[in-house]
């Protein structure tokens, strides 16, 4: 089952919140109980000191100073009790509050050496015992035992627990509600985007728009670009196919008529039609092949592709002994599909190899055109051949555009390059090289 | 010249076979990479024409394997147009030249001729050795500037000797490179043709261009002093 974004966030954070607060509450209750017990111990110790101070042993008889007054010792079942034992564990004195209590039900600890406080608890009482040797009356061993009911302390702890639970529950509730609202607010733009994508699918919208929070505008913009690119590719494809169909019709008609008439190719008419068809297919297919979306293109270093092309051409043109100079910074990269880059460079550099006398020079530089997103890499290919006449330059680039009326035998390499470049928003320029031949500059989107 | 042709499209393969034979080549043709590899390993070729997209073993892979086995005959690859990726990887794999489909037969023959020439150490289409000159583009032979009329087979024989003039060539090698497989190897046709060639090139016996190396074969050697 797919769990929604909101459920995921609310569920996990609520769970963490609950566990965290429960753990915190438990620790608080524990430390509060410990401090309550420590308070009880301290209180009982003070009572023992009070008893010691008021006690007097005279002739084996224990008595208390008349001004010793602890009202809770007097009142039966008051909750605070005391008794004093001798060495034989016989009770010498007990507080009046003990009158109604069964002494057997009390759990006293056995004490070994004098001078030490012993504190412990059972279900009903906190006990504090202290053994002392009374030297004034000839070393009499006495044990003072004071104990108090646990009930008020337990009540205090459970009261604290109750308050804490209510408080924590309130906080948890508040946080969960706040969090739910925050998540709802936070994912609202995503819901809006999802709705708009549905609208796109239904054809109610053409683009997502830009009114999204900054975290999503990039995604929305990229999606819009992608959609526009797709639409553009479809359009290119359709137009190229239309043009191809159109430019094949004439030569096909000529060939069919020629066949019907039993015509031979003596005057080269049929060959000419075949050439036209070949040119039309190559050119229009190169137009139809849409380049991938710029965001899906990884940066490709220009130097590497140029090197591969030059090495390959050096093999293919081995007998010409062309000196190919490459002056390209290794870090220079373009956002062009690698195969397309090889196609572009291959066609242009091969022309240079074909028409040069002995030297070809390939260089590249980065050019900024104001906006950093439209930075370009310009690849310049020069040769020392005869160059291209200024009057012929436009014609060279336009070749293929009118494939159905074109003279046979003309190359369409540069026209294909121009079409491919168009897909990337790039351009091509032809002028004269310092080496003496043609200089072809390719403007490509920089990475 | 013996050429290996590896092309999977039957109509194109058969057409090329006919045209190559008409141009005087001895042709072995294979329809897929596996068969191409078998031929390439089994026989010694003067050149190979290999299509990039082949069944069983891809054309690039075929070139790599042949080169790994130290077969260094020149290779011409056939690619679809607008596939520079194929051209570049093909040349990187060890091919020597490329030709984009569709192509004209004349262009293919010219490229093949140039490759064979290049591997024989000649940069220009005119193969010269002392007083002897063979123009591969016009298929003409001259000795000291005088044209010599040769039959097609004599021309091929001389071209082969000229392209491999740095070494002694056995009769078997000549048979392998100049005749189709079903040729009867025991016949002395080669000796007869060598004899005729000697007579035509050097009627008065002054040049002695084709030397017989006893028990080994023939060698083309011309003293430039003449």
């Amino acid at each position: 089952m797919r769990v929604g974004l909101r459920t995921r966030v609310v569920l996990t954070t609520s769970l963490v919140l609950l566990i965290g607060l429960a753990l915190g509450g438990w620790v608080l209750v524990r430390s509060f109980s410990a401090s309550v017990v420590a308070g009880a111990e301290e209180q009982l110790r003070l009572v023992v000191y009070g008893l010691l101070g008021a006690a007097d042993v005279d002739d084996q008889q224990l008595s208390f100073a008349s001004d010793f007054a602890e009202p809770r010792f007097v009142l039966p079942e008051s909750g605070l009790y005391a008794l004093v034992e001798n060495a034989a564990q016989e009770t010498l004195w007990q507080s009046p509050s003990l009158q109604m209590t069964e002494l057997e039900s009390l759990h006293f600890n056995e004490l070994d050496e004098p001078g030490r406080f012993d504190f412990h608890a059972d279900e009903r009482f906190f006990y504090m015992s202290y053994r002392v040797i009374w030297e004034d009356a000839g070393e009499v061993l006495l044990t003072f035992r004071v104990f108090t009911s646990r009930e008020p302390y337990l009540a205090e702890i459970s009261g604290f627990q109750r308050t804490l639970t209510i408080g924590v529950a309130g906080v948890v509730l508040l946080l969960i509600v706040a969090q739910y609202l925050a998540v709802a607010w936070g994912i609202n733009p995503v819901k809006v985007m999802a709705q708009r994508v549905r609208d796109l699918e239904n054809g109610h919208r053409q683009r997502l728009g830009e009114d999204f929070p900054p975290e999503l505008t990039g995604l929305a913009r990229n999606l819009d670009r992608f959609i526009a690119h797709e639409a553009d590719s479809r359009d290119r494809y359709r137009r190229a196919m239309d043009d191809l169909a159109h430019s094949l019709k004439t030569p096909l008609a000529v060939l069919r008529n020629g066949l019907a008439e039993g015509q031979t190719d003596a005057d080269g008419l049929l060959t000419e039609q075949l050439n036209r068809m070949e040119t039309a297919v190559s050119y229009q297919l190169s137009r139809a092949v849409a380049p991938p979306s710029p965001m899906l293109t990884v940066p490709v270093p220009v130097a590497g592709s140029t090197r591969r092309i030059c090495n390959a051409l050096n093999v293919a043109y081995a007998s010409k002994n062309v000196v190919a100079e490459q002056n390209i910074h290794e870090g220079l990269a373009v956002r062009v599909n690698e195969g397309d880059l090889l196609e572009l460079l291959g066609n242009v550099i091969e022309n240079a190899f074909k028409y040069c006398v002995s030297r070809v020079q390939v260089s590249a530089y980065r050019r900024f055109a104001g906006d950093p997103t439209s930075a370009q890499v310009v690849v310049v290919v020069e040769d020392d051949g005869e160059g291209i006449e200024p009057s012929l330059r436009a014609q060279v680039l336009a070749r293929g555009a009118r494939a159905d009326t074109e003279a046979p035998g003309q190359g369409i390499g540069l026209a294909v390059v121009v079409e491919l470049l168009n897909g990337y928003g790039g351009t091509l320029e032809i002028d004269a090289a310092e080496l003496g031949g043609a200089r072809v500059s390719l403007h490509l989107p920089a990475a | 010249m013996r050429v290996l042709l590896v092309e999977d499209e039957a109509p194109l393969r058969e057409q090329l076979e006919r045209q190559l034979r008409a141009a005087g080549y001895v042709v072995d043709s294979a329809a897929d990479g596996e068969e191409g590899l078998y031929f390439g390993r089994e026989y010694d070729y003067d050149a190979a024409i290999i299509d990039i997209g082949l069944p069983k073993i891809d054309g690039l892979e075929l070139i790599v394997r042949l080169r790994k086995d130290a077969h260094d005959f020149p290779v011409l690859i056939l690619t679809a147009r607008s596939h520079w990726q194929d051209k570049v990887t093909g040349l990187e794999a060890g091919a020597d030249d490329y030709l984009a489909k569709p192509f004209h037969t004349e262009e293919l023959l010219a490229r093949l001729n140039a490759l064979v020439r290049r591997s024989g150490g000649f940069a220009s289409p005119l193969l010269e050795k002392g007083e002897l000159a063979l123009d591969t583009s016009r298929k003409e032979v001259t000795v000291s500037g005088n044209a010599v009329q040769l039959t097609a087979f004599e021309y091929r024989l001389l071209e082969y000797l000229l392209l491999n003039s740095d070494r002694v060539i056995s009769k078997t090698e000549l048979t392998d490179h100049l005749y189709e497989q079903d040729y009867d190897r025991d016949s002395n046709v080669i000796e007869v043709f060598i004899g005729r060639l000697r007579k035509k090139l050097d009627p008065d016996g002054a040049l002695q261009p084709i030397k017989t190396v006893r028990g080994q074969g023939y060698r083309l050697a011309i003293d430039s002093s003449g």
Side-chain angles (χ1 to χ4, degrees):
Chain A
M1 193 188 73
R2 292 264 174 84
V3 185
L5 282 181
R6 180 160 43 188
T7 319
R8 288 174 199 213
V9 174
V10 172
L11 215 61
T12 42
T13 48
S14 302
L15 204 68
V16 170
L17 201 70
L18 272 176
I19 293 173
L21 285 178
L23 207 67
W26 180 76
V27 169
L28 270 180
V29 170
R30 280 298 299 260
S31 59
F32 183 77
S33 314
S35 80
V36 166
V37 172
E41 183 181 352
E42 193 52 38
Q43 225 175 347
L44 290 180
R45 201 193 309 271
L46 288 176
V47 174
V48 170
Y49 281 134
L51 275 179
L52 283 172
D56 190 21
V57 182
D58 190 19
D59 199 16
Q60 300 287 326
Q61 288 297 309
L62 177 73
S63 63
F64 286 96
S66 53
D67 59 346
F68 172 66
E70 169 57 68
R72 283 183 296 165
F73 279 149
V74 182
L75 208 64
E77 298 286 315
S78 70
L80 183 68
Y81 315 95
L83 59 80
V84 181
E85 290 170 349
N86 63 9
Q89 294 192 351
E90 293 160 352
T91 305
L92 299 181
W93 175 84
Q94 64 179 53
S95 66
S97 57
L98 254 178
Q99 274 170 0
M100 316 242 319
T101 311
E102 296 271 333
L103 286 185
E104 286 74 28
S105 69
L106 300 172
H107 297 96
F108 293 129
N109 274 1
E110 285 297 320
L111 294 176
D112 35 21
E113 42 186 297
R116 251 189 47 198
F117 283 101
D118 173 78
F119 179 77
H120 70 279
D122 68 5
E123 278 165 20
R124 291 164 60 205
F125 299 107
F126 289 124
Y127 299 93
M128 180 64 89
S129 308
Y130 186 72
R131 179 167 277 191
V132 66
I133 297 171
W134 212 273
E135 289 182 344
D136 297 355
E139 304 217 339
V140 182
L141 186 74
L142 295 175
T143 304
F144 287 77
R145 295 189 191 275
V146 179
F147 46 103
T148 182
S149 167
R150 285 180 65 173
E151 225 168 87
Y153 298 100
L154 290 179
E156 196 180 344
I157 290 170
S158 65
F160 174 78
Q161 225 165 353
R162 202 164 37 247
T163 319
L164 191 71
T165 309
I166 293 168
V168 165
V171 168
V172 165
L173 205 67
L174 191 75
L175 286 178
I176 288 177
V177 170
Q179 181 185 275
Y180 183 85
L181 292 175
V183 170
W185 190 45
I187 67 165
N188 191 47
V190 177
K191 286 172 72 179
V192 171
M193 187 176 269
Q195 180 55 46
R196 289 193 188 173
V197 169
R198 272 194 295 277
D199 289 347
L200 278 172
E201 284 169 356
N202 299 334
H204 298 318
R205 288 185 83 92
Q206 266 72 49
R207 51 197 302 276
L208 283 177
E210 302 240 318
D211 50 337
F212 288 104
E215 293 87 344
L216 290 179
T217 37
L219 176 65
R221 198 179 302 136
N222 280 346
L223 272 175
D224 274 343
R225 268 193 221 155
F226 191 64
I227 291 160
H229 181 81
E230 281 303 296
D232 188 48
S233 303
R234 265 200 310 278
D235 204 37
R236 279 169 68 96
Y237 187 72
R238 194 184 48 73
R239 268 186 289 128
M241 288 300 117
D242 284 351
D243 291 350
L244 180 59
H246 180 74
S247 45
L248 287 180
K249 273 174 194 159
T250 316
L252 278 173
V254 174
L255 286 175
R256 177 174 291 170
N257 292 340
L259 268 180
E261 289 171 359
Q263 193 180 349
T264 57
D265 199 25
D267 51 359
L269 184 69
L270 302 186
T271 311
E272 184 191 325
Q273 300 312 315
L274 284 174
N275 284 333
R276 278 188 186 173
M277 289 169 74
E278 187 191 323
T279 310
V281 168
S282 311
Y283 175 73
Q284 299 295 2
L285 287 187
S286 76
R287 281 181 66 199
V289 177
S293 167
M295 348 168 239
L296 302 178
T297 328
V298 290
V300 177
V302 179
S305 297
T306 308
R307 207 161 27 238
R308 289 183 69 193
I309 294 282
C310 286
N311 289 345
L313 287 168
N314 269 326
V315 173
Y317 286 78
S319 53
K320 205 168 171 181
N321 284 323
V322 178
V323 178
E325 254 176 74
Q326 294 159 61
N327 185 16
I328 300 172
H329 189 262
E330 288 294 330
L332 217 51
V334 289
R335 267 192 202 285
V336 175
N337 171 286
E338 196 179 358
D340 289 343
L341 182 62
L342 286 176
E343 201 64 38
L344 292 168
L345 294 174
N347 275 307
V348 175
I349 301 176
E350 189 188 26
N351 275 344
F353 268 73
K354 208 182 276 176
Y355 298 115
C356 75
V357 175
S358 65
R359 282 183 66 195
V360 170
Q361 200 172 302
V362 188
S363 52
Y365 59 92
R366 206 180 157 88
R367 199 180 75 153
F368 291 96
D371 178 11
T373 56
S374 62
Q376 287 186 322
V377 167
V378 184
V379 182
V380 184
V381 181
E382 296 168 273
D383 66 70
D384 62 349
E386 290 188 0
I388 303 170
E389 284 289 312
S391 56
L392 289 176
R393 284 171 193 164
Q395 202 182 319
V396 167
L397 298 182
R399 257 175 212 169
R402 297 293 308 274
D404 52 340
T405 59
E406 204 201 307
Q410 291 182 346
I412 59 156
L414 282 184
V416 167
V417 168
V418 171
E419 277 307 322
L420 202 50
L421 272 174
N422 279 345
Y424 285 100
T427 50
L428 185 144
E429 284 164 21
I430 304 178
D431 50 10
E434 279 175 26
L435 291 176
R439 179 166 72 179
V440 179
S441 309
L442 299 166
H443 296 247
L444 299 162
Chain B
M1 300 291 137
R2 193 177 203 95
V3 172
L4 172 63
L5 170 66
V6 195
E7 164 65 60
D8 58 322
E9 302 267 3
L12 181 60
R13 186 180 63 242
E14 285 156 15
Q15 201 178 44
L16 285 178
E17 244 183 280
R18 278 197 304 275
Q19 287 163 339
L20 286 167
R21 289 212 173 98
Y25 287 98
V26 176
V27 186
D28 288 334
S29 71
D32 59 58
E34 223 169 72
E35 204 182 351
L37 187 63
Y38 168 78
F39 276 126
R41 282 177 170 163
E42 204 66 15
Y43 303 102
D44 182 27
Y45 290 99
D46 297 298
I49 301 168
I50 297 176
D51 184 43
I52 286 293
L54 287 174
K56 295 189 185 171
I57 299 175
D58 175 44
L60 293 175
E61 178 67 23
L62 173 60
I63 298 169
V64 170
R65 291 208 202 169
L66 286 173
R67 291 292 186 240
K68 219 170 90 184
D69 291 353
H71 294 287
D72 59 353
F73 48 75
V75 172
L76 175 68
I77 49 172
L78 303 180
T79 71
R81 191 190 276 280
S82 310
H83 278 136
W84 268 92
Q85 189 113 44
D86 283 352
K87 295 178 192 171
V88 171
T89 40
L91 292 172
E92 283 171 350
D96 300 272
D97 201 358
Y98 54 81
L99 198 56
K101 289 184 194 172
F103 49 80
H104 294 282
T105 316
E106 299 79 38
E107 169 115 39
L108 175 78
L109 293 174
R111 297 283 187 98
L112 194 59
N113 191 6
L115 282 184
V116 173
R117 233 192 316 114
R118 235 159 68 190
S119 73
F122 292 90
S124 91
L126 191 68
L127 315 183
E128 287 178 299
K129 193 87 184 169
E131 292 299 310
L132 182 66
L134 186 143
D135 186 338
T136 54
S137 48
R138 293 181 181 181
K139 309 234 182 242
E140 284 174 2
V141 178
T142 55
V143 178
S144 310
N146 303 316
V148 179
Q149 295 302 318
L150 296 180
T151 64
F153 188 82
E154 288 162 358
Y155 174 84
R156 295 203 310 261
L157 180 59
L158 179 61
E159 187 188 27
Y160 192 83
L161 289 171
L162 204 54
L163 284 171
N164 297 286
S165 59
D166 53 335
R167 59 193 178 87
V168 177
I169 301 152
S170 69
K171 234 161 50 171
T172 321
E173 184 182 338
L174 282 174
T175 314
D176 281 345
H177 285 261
L178 301 174
Y179 274 107
E180 297 289 345
Q181 274 162 307
D182 48 6
Y183 171 76
D184 174 12
R185 280 158 197 274
D186 293 333
S187 97
N188 61 349
V189 166
I190 292 288
E191 284 163 44
V192 173
F193 274 109
I194 291 280
R196 282 200 212 160
L197 201 54
R198 278 177 173 151
K199 243 177 236 160
K200 283 192 179 180
L201 294 176
D202 183 32
D204 49 6
L207 276 174
Q208 301 275 347
I210 303 168
K211 312 274 189 280
T212 305
V213 183
R214 197 167 292 274
Q216 291 183 55
Y218 305 102
R219 183 162 176 268
L220 191 92
I222 299 167
D223 294 334
S224 44
S225 56

